[in-house]
Amino acid sequence: MYSNRKYIISFIFGVIALIYIYKLFTIQVLDMSYKLSAESNVFRKVVDYPARGLVFDRNGKLLVYNESSYDLLATPNRVPEFDTADLCEILGTSVESFKAEFRKAITHARYKESVIFKQIPKHRYSYLQEKLYKFPGFELQKRTARKYEYNAAAQVLGYVREADPKYIEAHPYYKPGDYIGVAGIEKSYEEQLRGQKGLKIYIVDVKNRVQGSYKDGEYDTAAVVGLNVTSTLDIDLQLYGEKLMQNKVGSIVAIEPATGEILALVSSPGYDPNLLVGSDMAINYPKLITDPYKPMYNRALMACYPPGSTFKTINALIGLQEGVINQTSSFPCNGGFRLGSHVVKCHHGGSLDLVSSIQHSCNAYYCHEFTKIIGDPKYKRADSAYSNWRRRVQSFGLGTKLGSDLNQESGGILYSKNYYNKFYGEGHWSAYTIISLSIGQGELGFTPFQICNACATIANRGYYYIPHIVKKVESGDIDKRFYEKHDTGIEKDYFETVIQGMYQVCEMGTGRSARVSGVEVCGKTGTAQNPHGKDHSIFEAFAPRDNPKIAIAVYVENGGFGATYAAPIAGLMIEKYLKDTVTRKDVEERICKANLLDIDAQMK
Amino acid sequence: MKERGQSVFFSLDWIIMVLYTALLFMGWFNIYAACYDDSHDSIFDFSMRYGKQLIWIGVSYVIVVLIMASNFRLYSVLSYFIYGAMILILTSVLVVGISSHGAKSWFEIGPIRIQPSEFAKFATALAMSKLMSAYNFDIKKPANLFMAIGIIALPAGLILLQPDMGSVLVYFSMIFVFYREGLSSIFLWLVVMGIAVFVSTLQYPLVAVMAGLTIIAGVWYLAFGRSIIEVLIAWGAVAAATGLFWVINHFLLDDHYEWHILIVGACMLLLPGVVVYSFLKRVWTATFVWLGLIGFFAVVFSVDFVFNNIMTDHQQTLIRVFLGLEIDPKGTGYNVEQSKIAIGSGGLWGKGYLQGTQTKFNFVPEQATDFIFCTVGEEWGFVGSTFVILMFITLIIRIIFLADKQRSAFARIYGYCVASILFFHVGINVGMTIGLVPVIGIPLPFFSYGGSSLWSFTILLFIFVRMDASRDELL
């Protein structure tokens, strides 16, 4: 009776067993999500943050280092009721924002620690550590904060900031809470400076209590401290430059011609780099960014000005190389160069040769010379001659990005022939149309950085190395490109003539105020026309004449003629760098006291 | 030819014995893994659960020997007496018992805790077998059926008062025994279907269950010789009704309801039609089955509605605790989720013995008792957990086939009781760890930590093994 029902019952049991096995197969073999959940359950990955590399100046003086800083962490489920107001007072934050962070931590994970307050300033930290026993569930995590030794070179050194989500998405190495360099050396050498984060994997239980390290630390990695970087900066020169530029808008760039190493790079006004450290950043960054003088804007690298008369040296060299003039060519100057009813004025008379044309910065000479360059019969057409001229200008690193390791460079303005062909019509323009280029005005815009590099090229008699801000990275060379010679293709001999002119500028010409006793300084004044106000004062120089050690470009916005401010500043800088002490204290005092910011305000 | 009085160990079913021993020791190894701790290195550390479990296992073998040495007729003779004693014990535990997990279900005698509801299973099985093996007993007679149900209801009711819903549910497994003894298959199908619907609604949206049932309805009709046209008409009717609802919903109600609600609606309309049709065609089985299904849906819907919309949170919690659905400390389904994570993270081959992290670090609740299967899943993977399930199903089917060989009705019925109870325990326990059934706290036989559970299953099983060993001697 009913004996066959054993089959039905067995069948039902078997089918249910098969359903179970199928279900096990789906969750154990097919579905990977459970494995991930299991990992996030038990693994507590503790990041070991390495100290960022240090930055030294060329003489081994420490510029940037790290200071211990602490983040406050909280594990919400371990936090009993506590005196919020008390803790907030210690931290120096508002109760509302603290509560908001704490709520965020609760929603993130009750059993896991979250950062509640970042980068606790030093003076608050020690007090907090004393009182921490009153706040169970809170702990301090050691991090490091950047510290800048000098109130100088802020735009060169840059700053670090917490990586934002967008950046993290593009760069998977970074995780929320990591810091990255966002400007200057901090940015360019981020990969070397940051080091390598370490990771310790702990196993935690359901209450997030550590049970030991995972597989005896087999998968742990140790943090690797960031590499130290030696900058090419001479911090004393930099400081001096910033001192001279106080209360002025402008830049100083100083390069060692033989290597392309940047000795000083001043963009004024600057700011104290320590303003952008830790929790202070939130307060100071908006202030800096809205400052009308734009202290975070690196004028030396990014501001384009017409080169003015400093450009005459370039045109002289191009003319010589193209053979349209020679070392003895002279042009008449009767107080200017006449172009129809228009006169490009000059401040002297008579007929000048090449050397004196530089010494006296004769406009007429270069107008004549430029018409010869552009009208050179070799090239048949003005636009081909122009293209050749432009190529030669570019060979000095002008009007192109130099490719330095400071990645905020702007390229400048140096239009191709197409621009003029479009503007005036093909064949409808000549040297006379663009005559202002001859004296560095018109459609030209170069950065102080580029002008300084051009000056270094002249100092080198025909070549330059890409200017760079880092000399050495610990256990490794800097990029190969900084060792490559960039030659202008202009004969060395021609440079000597131009340099003779530049020497006379400082000895008895427009740049006498740049003269340094006992040093043969070669320079050239310039005035960048400023449609918005008083002209900008420019001076480029190098010294000593033979075997130059420093090439410098000085820009003082609204400083008037090059001789007024730029030349004496260049002179003082050269003296400071070559002789270490400045003898002309009166000049120094006049420069330091000059306040051109008010004038600027009046102009507006 | 075996002689009477010769040792029963010759006629003992060695397949069951081997499976029993294997399960016991696999269980112990997993308890060891679940409680393993570097600071206690001896397996004989009796402060640890694995140390204690070794004692319980040792005692189990003493029990096995005692049962095997006993007279096989004893159990039939003493069955009512044992049952009566058990009723007394279950009554007294309500008075003098101590509470644990919100249920008053333990006796505490010195250091030992005993859970009488575990032992009530074999006592009830004995009494049931005694009743149903009576010469004039016929399960088809309602009076007899109610007597049998009464035998179950008495201990079940007492256990419900503790309250320990999990242990009560086990008695529902007796439906398989009733079925084997001649109960109409309609009841079995109703129960199976009810369980199937209940379980599948936990897994899938109701719509899928309804749609599936509609398709089964079609297959059913075909299987019973109905014309294919009728089936197609039935399916067409579902589609048409769904379409009609969609039109109404889309144009008149502004897409107020999700599409699957519409299919449910259509099925609900159709089911009464099927019932009426079956009734008119005089297909009684179909009529009953579908009527039952409608009733089941009605209950599920109304219970759901009352539970979710009328009861307060506090009342809901009370109900959950009463039903043995454990209190959820961290929101809906935390325990099940952690249990699934533990098992799921085991992968194909598992993490290796003692390498489990989810169970070891307490992410899984009750990892040595009710959730011991998580350790199996995590450390031994799909291969290991499938092996364990196959061991259990082999044991159960072996018992069923041996039971059917018994000459004595008492032994046969008792064998079916054993198989059904074991199956139910394994099904509920494993099912809850992988999220197939709600979390109902009952142990996995032979695996879970705990003396009461282990001894009661040993007694339950070996009374049958003892009777089977002497099956040739019984009338």
Side-chain angles (χ1 to χ4, degrees), chain A residues 305-546:
Chain A
Y305 309 88
S309 301
T310 59
F311 196 56
K312 288 170 184 167
T313 53
I314 307 296
N315 269 337
L317 287 164
I318 295 172
L320 287 168
Q321 182 66 29
E322 290 294 323
V324 298
I325 55 168
N326 59 43
Q327 276 109 319
T328 56
S329 298
S330 60
F331 293 101
C333 175
N334 303 311
F337 177 80
R338 269 164 223 290
L339 186 67
S341 61
H342 185 72
V343 181
V344 180
K345 281 183 190 146
C346 248
H347 314 290
H348 50 85
S351 181
L352 295 172
D353 65 0
L354 182 54
V355 172
S356 354
S357 76
I358 291 173
Q359 180 192 333
H360 297 292
S361 197
C362 175
N363 286 346
Y365 191 99
Y366 290 94
C367 293
H368 285 296
E369 189 234 8
F370 193 63
T371 58
K372 286 198 154 198
I373 295 173
I374 302 299
D376 191 344
K378 265 197 310 227
Y379 298 104
K380 295 193 181 87
R381 289 167 53 138
D383 60 355
S384 336
Y386 175 82
S387 287
N388 184 62
W389 172 81
R390 180 170 181 264
R391 183 179 58 79
R392 292 228 180 258
V393 173
Q394 282 175 333
S395 75
F396 285 87
L398 294 168
T400 60
K401 284 188 183 179
L402 287 167
S404 81
D405 49 359
L406 285 167
N407 39 23
Q408 293 163 301
E409 273 181 66
S410 67
I413 302 162
L414 178 64
Y415 293 119
S416 74
K417 66 174 187 191
N418 299 340
Y419 173 84
Y420 296 103
N421 281 339
K422 221 174 196 173
F423 200 83
Y424 299 108
E426 223 174 306
H428 289 91
W429 56 279
S430 67
Y432 299 103
T433 326
I434 53 173
I435 198 72
S436 40
L437 300 188
S438 65
I439 56 166
Q441 306 288 2
E443 300 95 343
L444 286 177
F446 301 136
T447 63
F449 191 54
Q450 288 170 333
I451 289 295
C452 185
N453 182 58
C455 183
T457 312
I458 297 170
N460 283 338
R461 278 78 171 165
Y463 63 88
Y464 70 89
Y465 292 101
I466 296 174
H468 47 278
I469 195 69
V470 166
K471 204 175 155 73
K472 207 171 74 202
V473 176
E474 189 187 356
S475 74
D477 275 334
I478 52 169
D479 198 274
K480 281 200 295 288
R481 69 178 192 273
F482 300 123
Y483 299 117
E484 280 165 20
K485 206 180 231 186
H486 291 255
D487 203 288
T488 53
I490 292 171
E491 271 169 53
K492 206 178 159 196
D493 215 29
Y494 299 145
F495 281 94
E496 294 302 344
T497 314
V498 170
I499 288 168
Q500 175 61 34
M502 290 173 76
Y503 175 63
Q504 288 180 16
V505 165
C506 297
E507 284 300 305
M508 47 200 153
T510 51
R512 286 184 302 275
S513 51
R515 200 167 61 182
V516 178
S517 65
V519 180
E520 289 186 315
V521 178
C522 306
K524 181 73 196 80
T525 53
T527 307
Q529 287 177 353
N530 176 13
H532 309 294
K534 209 172 167 193
D535 289 345
H536 305 316
S537 176
I538 308 177
F539 194 74
E540 63 168 19
F542 65 86
R545 179 173 172 168
D546 297 315

